[in-house]
Amino acid sequence: MKHDDVHALAKALSDLSTGRQPSLWEDLKHTKIPLLLIVGDRDEKFKKIAQSMWSKLEEGKDDSVKHVHKMVKIPDSGHAVHIENPLHVINSISEFVTRQDAIDS
C-alpha cells in the first residue's frame, strides 16, 4: 500500500479497528500464555478495559497459575504509550520477557 493512497489508508484503518475485531473476552479466562497488559496512566478508558481484562485473566485460576500475567501502567502517557514514553514501554517488555525466561528455565 502506498502512503499517498488516502482511500487505501482509510480502509486499512477501518478494517483494523478494534471495533471490527472479534470478541475474545471469554477466551481470556482460558489463556495459558503469560500476557503483559500495557496502558497509559492517563488513559482512563483503556485503564478500565485493562482492569476488566485482568479480572477475566484471573477468573477461575487457582493460586498455582495466578500472577503469570502482568499489567503495567506507563507513567506520563495517555493512549499512545509507545510514542509518549517509549523507554518505559521497552523496559517493561524487557523485564516481562526476562521474567518469563527465568520461569521457563
Side-chain angles (χ1 to χ4, degrees):
M1 174 176 68
K2 294 182 179 181
H3 293 327
D4 58 352
D5 187 344
V6 175
H7 296 290
L9 180 59
K11 181 175 177 1
L13 289 172
S14 175
D15 291 349
L16 298 172
S17 83
T18 56
R20 291 185 180 249
Q21 295 175 6
S23 176
L24 300 173
W25 281 98
E26 286 306 309
D27 295 340
L28 286 171
K29 62 185 170 190
H30 304 294
T31 301
K32 295 178 181 169
I33 299 170
L35 297 177
L36 174 62
L37 306 177
I38 298 177
V39 64
D41 69 350
R42 294 190 313 242
D43 188 345
E44 295 303 321
K45 177 182 176 181
F46 278 84
K47 280 197 308 189
K48 287 178 185 173
I49 291 170
Q51 189 58 53
S52 295
M53 288 176 71
W54 182 264
S55 295
K56 274 289 188 190
L57 285 167
E58 297 293 303
E59 191 176 295
K61 302 254 187 335
D62 61 36
D63 288 339
S64 66
V65 288
K66 280 191 176 190
H67 309 298
V68 296
H69 310 294
K70 184 174 183 182
M71 181 168 35
V72 175
K73 294 177 186 166
I74 304 297
D76 303 318
S77 60
H79 188 68
V81 294
H82 60 295
I83 295 170
E84 297 171 47
N85 198 341
L87 187 57
H88 203 290
V89 172
I90 291 166
N91 288 339
S92 296
I93 294 170
S94 178
E95 177 184 306
F96 182 76
V97 170
T98 300
R99 184 182 82 171
Q100 295 311 310
D101 286 345
I103 291 170
D104 292 341
S105 297

